[in-house]
Structures are given as C-alpha cells and as structure tokens.
Amino acid sequence: MSTRIEIDHRVRHPEKQGRPDNPISRKPAWIRVKAPTSPVYHETRALMRDKKLSTVCEEAACPNIGECWSQRHATMMIMGDICTRACAFCNVSTGVPAALDTDEPRRVAEAVATLGLRHVVITSVDRDDVADGGAAHFAAVIAAVRAAAPATTIEILTPDFLRKPGALEVVVAARPDVFNHNLETVPRLYPSIRPGARYYQSLRLLDRVKQLDPDIFTKSGLMAGLGEAKPEIGQVMDDLRIADVDFLTIGQYLQPTVKHAAVDRFVTPEAFEEYALMARVKGFLQVSATPLTRSSYHADSDFAALREARARKLVA
C-alpha cells in the first residue's frame, strides 16, 4: 500500500524571511521522540481532516503529537490557522485570517464527542482583527462542547485579549474548567520573543480570571532555553503565585525553523526537576516541568491531579 505525502508549499512566516538564519542545533537524546505509527494516530488525524479542524499539535509542530494522538488527545485550535501575531518562537502561520467560521463550534463539539475525551484542550490563534479578540467564539465553542459531551471537562488556552475590553468577561462567563494563558518567557525577553504581547497584560489577565470566578482553575506555561536565567524564572513563578495561578508548565523551547529564535541551550532533565521543586515550594497546586512538557501534554491526567490537590488543600 502506498502512502501519500502531503507537502505544504505555503510560506508560513513571510514576516521572518528577511531575518538572518539561526542554525538549528542537534537535539540531545532526552528530547528525541519516535515517529508516529499507531493506527489510532491516523484515525485521529482523519477525524480532524473530516471535521475540517485545525490543531495546535500540527500547526505548532509539537513533538508529542504521536503519543497524544495515539491516545485520541488532540488539542483543537479554533478561529483558523493564521495568526495576527508573529512571535519569534511560534510555528503557526502569520498573516491575514479569514472571517470566523460560525459552524466551527459544532464541528469541534462533534469531534470531542467522537473521540470520547474526558478532558479537552481548546486553544486559538490570536485574532487582533476581531473586535472582541474571538471571546464570543470561545464561549460558543465551550457551550457546544458542553451540549455534545457534558461529561467532558474543558480547558481553554487563550490569547491575551490585548486592548479588547470586556472580552475576558465573556470567556469566563462561559465557565471553562481550566483557564490557561501562557506567559511563555521572562519579561526581559518579551521584546525579542513575544513582541506583540505585554508581560503585565498577560499577568493581569490571569489575575482577573480569579477575581471574576475563583472556582476556575488557572494555568500558565513557560519555555526554557531561550536565554532566561534561573532567578528570572523564579521571579515569574512569584508573579504567577501573586495572581493565584494554580498550575504551571515548563518545557524546552524547540526551534521550528532557521528563521525562528535560536535555542540558547538545552536544559537538562535535572534542571527541570529543580524548576518543578521551586514551583511546588512556591505553592502551585500542580506543576509539570520536563523537557517535553507542553501546555496540553497529559492535560487530562494533570487536571485530575489538580482537582485532587485543591480538595486536599480545602480539607487541610
């Protein structure tokens, strides 16, 4: 049986083409993963194509896609596959997005029900072109999933809704189980790594979620290996704890192409263990810090552990 190979000829990052190349470093042994071979992986991929859905697993070139899709754990990426931002670390295409697809919430909900997910992660591109940043669309997707798969818990990974007054309130009112927004890196590196975002806007967003609904779990993530120092990571942890964030993920940054930010270093598994210990000491209910950690990696089992941790804290 022959295998058809699909080649994407689009220039994914036209805004980066004038930049000098950053050679891609060879990955250490603890980063390498096997190519996906499971039949369930191909079934999951076929379902995403059938429902005309985008996934961050594919668009962000996640190294865990083989493992996750083999367990039917696909992270939906709503509002299209073209982002209005151009972060130096991200593999998602940049450009002018199409209009929002009003049928997308139904298709996402059907995919979640078909996959039989206990827990689903739903993320999106940045939609600075939309008046509310896509907040109402997030709310519509949450409502559709609740209707189609009422037993499924819902985790959202949102943009920062920069200069979109009232947008956050719309999303929180839809009551996701987990509200995730990644800080991505330390404040010093924002101008070069996340130039379209503002560190304190992201921090305030997470703080505001807890003010609006203290029952919603909040979560954020960082990348290691972009040139940050350990004390800077510690300060970000402190900032997140002041905002009462429950769950922190830290994973190794991997350079998607030669036009993206270079990997400053590959952080060792032992160093990630130190970060995890730091985070637990600072009071996070749940921590995932490994080279291959990503926001939605093992999200279902992590959510179960997160709920148990809160329950223990309440009775302590």
Side-chain angles (χ1 to χ4, degrees):
M1 182 178 68
S2 61
T3 301
R4 181 184 176 188
I5 299 175
E6 297 181 5
I7 301 174
D8 187 349
H9 293 285
R10 293 177 300 170
V11 176
R12 295 178 65 89
H13 306 286
E15 80 291 343
K16 295 182 174 70
Q17 295 311 303
R19 298 179 183 178
D21 288 356
N22 290 316
I24 297 178
S25 303
R26 180 176 173 82
K27 298 180 182 69
W30 63 80
I31 288 289
R32 295 170 200 162
V33 295
K34 295 180 180 179
T37 57
S38 164
V40 179
Y41 166 89
H42 295 288
E43 291 171 12
T44 302
R45 185 179 186 280
L47 177 64
M48 297 302 106
R49 298 291 82 75
D50 179 59
K51 298 296 182 183
K52 297 180 173 60
L53 297 174
S54 298
T55 69
V56 75
C57 320
E58 296 170 287
E59 299 300 327
C62 180
N64 303 317
I65 187 171
E67 177 185 345
C68 293
W69 282 26
S70 296
Q71 300 171 32
R72 296 187 172 87
H73 295 166
T75 298
M76 316 294 175
M77 190 174 78
I78 61 175
M79 298 194 280
D81 61 358
I82 298 177
C83 188
T84 54
R85 303 269 177 99
C87 296
F89 64 86
C90 185
N91 194 50
V92 175
S93 298
T94 301
V96 179
L100 294 179
D101 181 353
T102 57
D103 188 52
E104 185 176 53
R106 177 190 65 82
R107 300 197 310 276
V108 170
E110 287 181 351
V112 170
T114 300
L115 290 167
L117 298 178
R118 294 179 303 173
H119 184 80
V120 64
V121 182
I122 299 163
T123 188
S124 78
V125 291
D126 277 284
R127 291 299 302 257
D128 296 314
D129 60 312
V130 178
D132 69 349
H137 198 80
F138 258 108
V141 171
I142 292 168
V145 173
R146 291 269 188 245
T152 303
T153 50
I154 300 172
E155 179 174 329
I156 57 170
L157 173 55
T158 76
D160 59 11
F161 299 120
L162 183 64
R163 304 183 188 94
K164 306 293 182 184
L168 177 64
E169 287 76 5
V170 170
V171 179
V172 172
R175 304 212 75 230
D177 296 282
V178 181
F179 190 108
N180 186 3
H181 174 68
N182 288 335
L183 293 185
E184 307 291 9
T185 190
V186 301
R188 176 176 58 83
L189 296 178
Y190 262 56
S192 60
I193 300 302
R194 203 175 174 222
R198 301 294 179 269
Y199 177 79
Y200 288 104
Q201 163 68 17
S202 290
L203 201 57
R204 281 195 297 268
L205 187 84
L206 291 160
D207 185 54
R208 181 65 176 150
V209 173
K210 280 294 190 186
Q211 293 175 14
L212 292 167
D213 189 340
D215 290 335
I216 294 177
F217 289 103
T218 49
K219 178 177 176 180
S220 192
L222 294 170
M223 295 175 290
L226 279 164
E228 72 291 334
K230 186 175 180 180
E232 291 179 301
I233 292 287
Q235 183 60 60
V236 173
M237 290 181 186
D238 289 338
D239 291 344
L240 288 169
R241 288 303 301 132
I242 290 171
D244 201 21
V245 170
D246 301 299
F247 186 178
L248 176 64
T249 61
I250 309 177
Q252 172 69 51
Y253 166 65
L254 297 177
Q255 184 181 345
T257 75
V258 295
K259 296 299 182 181
H260 286 78
V263 173
D264 176 73
R265 72 193 187 287
F266 288 105
V267 180
T268 65
E270 293 75 19
F272 276 105
E273 290 176 7
E274 291 179 14
Y275 282 143
L277 178 59
M278 282 174 57
R280 292 190 185 98
V281 168
K282 290 176 184 294
F284 289 96
L285 288 179
Q286 179 74 5
V287 182
S288 177
T290 72
L292 288 173
T293 289
R294 298 296 183 268
S295 291
S296 55
Y297 189 44
H298 295 163
D300 57 341
S301 57
D302 280 343
F303 177 68
L306 186 61
R307 279 201 295 201
E308 290 173 6
R310 175 184 280 179
R312 289 194 301 270
K313 183 178 180 180
L314 291 175
V315 300

